[in-house]
Amino acid sequence: MNIFKEETLGTMQQVDFDHINHVGMAVRDLALATATFEAMGFQLTPYSPQSAAWKPGDTVKPLASGNRCIMFADNYLEVLGSENPKQQAPRIANFLARHQGAHIICFNSENPHAVDQRLHASQIETSGVIPLQRDIDTPDGVKTAKFERVQFAPNDSPEGYIQSARHLTPEYIYQPRYIVHPNGCTKLVDTIVVVDDLDRFSDRYTRYIGAPLVREGRVARFDFALGSRLTLVHWRDAAALLPGTLFAPVPCIAAVSFRAPDLRAVRERLLAKGFTPAEVGERLVVPAEQASGVAVVFEV
């Protein structure tokens, strides 16, 4: 989206993050959301129950929730739901109290302790480095995938749960059998956050990420070394970028974009399955109302 002259701001060098590792969304009914994404042409992983600790040193405990994921070679979309949709797990209920849709942005880092130290040096509150794990179905049976993560500004990030994570067992997460999708998509390439004050959020995310951003008028963008990006857009411009979407309360994580080499085939699939994608330049946009609360974009 080229609104005005592109300008790179800031002088910091990116040292912590090379990617957006995943985006997480919370849904009321995981089975229904799974069927929706399958209709769009995605393969989802089997259900994986989650356990976590919320403070450094705490015992890891079951969360009564889990996920199914749209996996790619090095990142993914996580679809979170309760084990019993009629009795929502506390974590899922907290997300859904605000809205159904995307609530998590997780940057990829191989050194969460360094991230934690850098953020504290910038006077940003963190959760500290805390563990997460979930059981994963593998060709060799069920294995426990483990992670280390750091949440950023837990009391000052109304747009969502912003964090970085390190995969301790990536071989369990990135299984080749799950990264091929009928719609041909190959990557989660963009995450779009709608904000009410672009300058303030640009400054905050520059401090989070530790790298310069690119400004295009009322749009700001961070580009990562492994090919993903984070886009911040003012709510006045969001409707042009994501037409047809009724946005969650701003600020919000409004959309994810996938790389799709054959947009014509994707469009034909979507129309055949009853979706009404909008065409915005060389992109297709499925409104959030048709995709369990997050707008889904397809781009070359």
Side-chain angles (χ1 to χ4, degrees):
M1 183 176 180
N2 189 10
I3 298 178
F4 298 114
K5 181 179 178 182
E6 182 175 292
E7 181 181 6
T8 300
L9 304 178
T11 58
M12 290 184 288
Q13 297 298 312
Q14 183 175 314
V15 294
D16 296 323
F17 310 138
D18 56 12
H19 215 4
I20 291 182
N21 178 271
H22 69 273
V23 173
M25 58 184 295
V27 299
R28 298 183 183 90
D29 187 324
L30 188 55
L32 179 59
T34 296
T36 297
F37 282 101
E38 288 177 339
M40 282 190 274
F42 292 105
Q43 175 187 198
L44 284 84
T45 58
Y47 178 77
S48 174
Q50 293 181 310
S51 300
W54 299 117
K55 296 179 181 178
D58 279 2
T59 301
V60 175
K61 298 179 180 180
L63 298 179
S65 63
N67 66 27
R68 298 190 68 177
C69 297
I70 298 171
M71 299 298 307
F72 300 98
D74 57 10
N75 65 0
Y76 57 98
L77 175 67
E78 177 185 34
V79 187
L80 286 158
S82 299
E83 291 180 0
N84 180 1
K86 295 182 180 180
Q87 185 176 354
Q88 300 288 353
R91 183 188 187 207
I92 303 301
N94 287 339
F95 287 144
L96 295 178
R98 190 161 191 261
H99 63 88
Q100 175 173 258
H103 288 272
I104 299 168
I105 299 173
C106 182
F107 302 103
N108 192 69
S109 171
E110 294 306 312
N111 192 338
H113 292 278
V115 172
D116 190 54
Q117 292 170 7
R118 177 175 61 78
L119 293 174
H120 276 286
S122 296
Q123 299 184 346
I124 296 172
E125 181 185 359
T126 76
S127 63
V129 180
I130 51 181
L132 174 68
Q133 67 185 48
R134 57 187 173 94
D135 289 338
I136 301 286
D137 179 48
T138 78
D140 298 320
V142 175
K143 303 291 185 180
T144 300
K146 296 185 177 183
F147 316 82
E148 292 179 331
R149 59 197 169 92
V150 179
Q151 185 184 357
F152 310 165
N155 298 317
D156 188 30
S157 54
E159 71 278 18
Y161 191 103
I162 313 303
Q163 63 178 337
S164 70
R166 177 190 179 199
H167 283 265
L168 301 177
T169 52
E171 66 275 14
Y172 300 154
I173 299 296
Y174 297 106
Q175 297 182 42
R177 59 180 174 161
Y178 294 131
I179 66 174
V180 178
H181 301 278
N183 60 17
C185 288
T186 60
K187 193 180 197 68
L188 172 61
V189 70
D190 195 7
T191 303
I192 300 171
V193 181
V194 175
V195 303
D196 54 359
D197 185 332
L198 191 60
D199 289 339
R200 180 167 60 89
F201 276 86
S202 294
D203 175 71
R204 176 143 62 86
Y205 273 84
T206 297
R207 294 165 67 203
Y208 285 173
I209 295 169
L213 58 79
V214 175
R215 282 291 294 264
E216 296 178 336
R218 290 185 295 273
V219 175
R221 187 182 77 242
F222 295 89
D223 297 311
F224 296 94
L226 296 183
S228 59
R229 63 183 182 270
L230 175 73
T231 299
L232 307 177
V233 58
H234 196 276
W235 65 265
R236 293 189 182 92
D237 299 296
L241 191 66
L242 303 167
T245 284
L246 180 63
F247 296 104
V250 175
C252 64
I253 306 166
V256 289
S257 184
F258 299 98
R259 179 158 294 137
D262 189 344
L263 284 182
R264 177 180 293 183
V266 170
R267 183 177 183 276
E268 290 176 355
R269 174 185 289 272
L270 293 172
L271 292 174
K273 294 295 184 177
F275 297 98
T276 56
E279 297 188 28
V280 181
E282 296 183 355
R283 293 151 41 104
L284 297 173
V285 181
V286 176
E289 291 70 38
Q290 298 179 20
S292 301
V294 62
V296 175
V297 181
F298 299 90
E299 62 181 272
V300 176

